[in-house]
Every structure is written in structure tokens, then in C-alpha cells.
Amino acid sequence: MQSTDTRGELPARLELTDIGVRFGGIVALDDVSLRVPAGAVVGIMGPNGAGKTTLFNVVCGFLRPRTGTMTLDGTPRRPAPHRLVRHGVARTLQGLGLFGGLTALENVAAGAARSHRAPFVNGLLGLPYGTRTNRAARTAAAALLDEFGIGAYAGALPPALPYPVAKKVALARALISDPTLILLDEPAGGLDSTDIEDLRTLIRQLPTRGSGSRSVMLVEHNVELIMSVCDHIVVLDFGKVIAAGTPDEIRSDPLVAAAYLGGQEAA
């Protein structure tokens, strides 16, 4: 099996070993192993149907693999989706996933909940701790929106947000819990070149944001973006790892060129 670890000196924030997933007679993932070291940006790429989304759903607890193990910070875990934040994991979705009835500020603040019981619920019930938590979450949310340059949209509902702004709101909601591992699912989808450049800068800054060394796992179709922001890339095809290495190694891998790049080297 091909190793996917080029940074063995760093501890693994996330490690998947021999993950196998089947849907009936269809093999979606076939003995997939990879590591996401602390402080690293690891990209997952491959053609449509390669198994990228299935892999994300395993990590997020939406799918239970038939075979294999998953560890977070060295401890075997299979957290339920609603408990991911408790384990320091946050994710963005291919779609925005914003709450349509909440403002941009409230959407971001909702991400601060560290359990299935959001601080807004306690606040609405008039519980003192809930009220204090709600206030702190809103303050932190406002600071994030300002940092992302979209503070002017704090009071706007999602339908009124320009799409690039909504993307930043979704990312801010994932970041507000200060996760140690953030999963980005097609973050460049629907963005133009200027917005992708802003996204590139944000992704490069993610490992050093917050209280400690953050890891990033990125699924993305934009080859140029993934090549420019990742320390390490894993390429899937038909549910198998066909290549793993640095961006330079992936660019020159003939299997990647044949399966994903149409015989053309990545830009």
C-alpha cells in the first residue's frame, strides 16, 4: 500500500487506516489510508465518483465503514455528527448550509455551540449561563465577520447575501468553535478568480489561526487551488488511493495525469 505520510515527524491529528465502504455491490472506498498531521493542509482530489465525499462522510460520522479504523489525536473515535465539535472537528458543506431564518451574525454565533444544545436555546429560556454564552458567541461572531471583511452584512439574512459573502459566513461559522481539524468540502465552488484568491489566502492562514496548531482537510476540484495551498495531497480514483505526496510529486505522477488531469500536467 502506498504511504500517504510525508511529514512523519508530526503527530497525526486525523488518521484513517484501511477504510472500506460498500453500497451494495459497489465499492466506494477500498482500503483507504491517510494521515492529516497537526498543522498541515492535506488535500483530497480525484475525478467525480472517486470517493471524496464518501471519505468526508466517514470522517464526519455520517457513514460507518465496513472495515478500517479512524483516530483523532491518537485515540480511536467514530464521533456522531452532532458531537464533532466536542472533538475539535468542524466542517463546511458543498452547499452553504446556512440557517435561512437567522442573520449572518446569528449563523456564525450558532457555530459556537459545543454540544447539540445551542446557546441560543438557553438564552431563549432565560437561563443565566445561556444568556452569557449567547452574548459571548455574538461578540466572537461579530469579530470574525469584521476580520473577513463582511461585518456590514451581519444583520442580513442568507437569501440577501452575495454568494462569496455567504461562503465566508459558512467558513466563519466553522471557525468560531476554534477547531483543531477543519474539513473544507469544495470551498471554491461557485467563486470567481478574485474570490478564489481571497479563499487561497484564508486557507493558508488556517493552520496558525486560533489557540493552537490547526489541521485542514480539503476536498476540491480546483486543481490550481489545491496545488497552491496544500502541504500534502491524496488522489483517489474508483475508491482507491492512486497517488499521495507533495504538490510537485502529484503534478508529475503519470497515474494522476491519466485519471484526473486528462493527460495534462497540473498548472
Side-chain angles (χ1 to χ4, degrees):
M1 180 181 300
Q2 185 169 6
S3 170
T4 64
D5 181 15
T6 62
R7 299 180 57 165
E9 74 280 4
L10 296 175
R13 178 120 306 141
L14 169 70
E15 187 162 10
L16 303 176
T17 305
D18 298 332
I19 296 294
V21 174
R22 289 176 178 266
F23 300 115
I26 299 174
V27 178
L29 295 175
D30 188 1
D31 289 339
V32 172
S33 298
L34 62 87
R35 297 177 78 249
V36 181
V41 180
V42 174
I44 311 297
M45 57 184 281
N48 289 331
K52 304 183 298 297
T53 298
T54 300
L55 186 65
F56 252 40
N57 286 336
V58 168
V59 176
C60 295
F62 292 111
L63 285 175
R64 295 185 70 85
R66 291 184 61 176
T67 60
T69 59
M70 168 178 155
T71 64
L72 288 170
D73 294 313
T75 302
R77 297 192 188 279
R78 285 184 181 175
H82 67 278
R83 295 183 180 272
L84 282 174
V85 175
R86 289 185 176 183
H87 296 287
V89 181
R91 75 170 290 183
T92 63
L93 304 172
Q94 284 188 31
L96 296 171
L98 298 178
F99 303 116
L102 300 181
T103 66
L105 177 69
E106 291 166 341
N107 264 282
V108 176
R114 290 192 174 270
S115 71
H116 66 281
R117 189 177 183 182
F120 291 110
V121 176
N122 289 344
L124 289 172
L125 293 176
L127 301 179
Y129 174 78
T131 302
R132 290 195 300 272
T133 305
N134 187 29
R135 187 180 304 117
R138 292 175 69 92
T139 299
L144 265 177
L145 292 177
D146 286 341
E147 184 178 345
F148 282 9
I150 54 174
Y153 295 93
L157 294 174
L161 297 174
Y163 189 73
V165 172
K167 282 271 193 176
K168 288 184 177 181
V169 172
L171 179 57
R173 186 175 63 183
L175 287 173
I176 195 171
S177 63
D178 196 18
T180 55
L181 172 65
I182 183 165
L183 311 174
L184 303 179
D185 196 355
E186 302 284 359
L191 300 181
D192 63 22
S193 58
T194 300
D195 297 320
I196 288 175
E197 189 57 40
D198 289 342
L199 177 64
R200 189 193 324 275
T201 300
L202 284 172
I203 294 174
R204 283 172 170 165
Q205 294 172 346
L206 286 178
T208 56
R209 293 174 62 98
S211 59
S213 178
R214 176 179 293 112
S215 302
V216 180
M217 184 173 171
L218 167 68
V219 165
E220 181 54 61
H221 273 102
N222 186 308
V223 175
E224 195 278 330
L225 175 65
I226 205 168
M227 290 288 180
S228 66
V229 300
C230 291
D231 302 297
H232 188 75
I233 297 171
V234 177
V235 185
L236 298 177
D237 194 24
F238 293 106
K240 282 182 171 291
V241 176
I242 62 168
T246 65
D248 285 341
E249 290 169 335
I250 295 302
R251 281 190 182 97
S252 60
D253 192 297
L255 289 178
V256 177
Y260 189 72
L261 303 177
Q264 300 297 317
E265 187 174 81

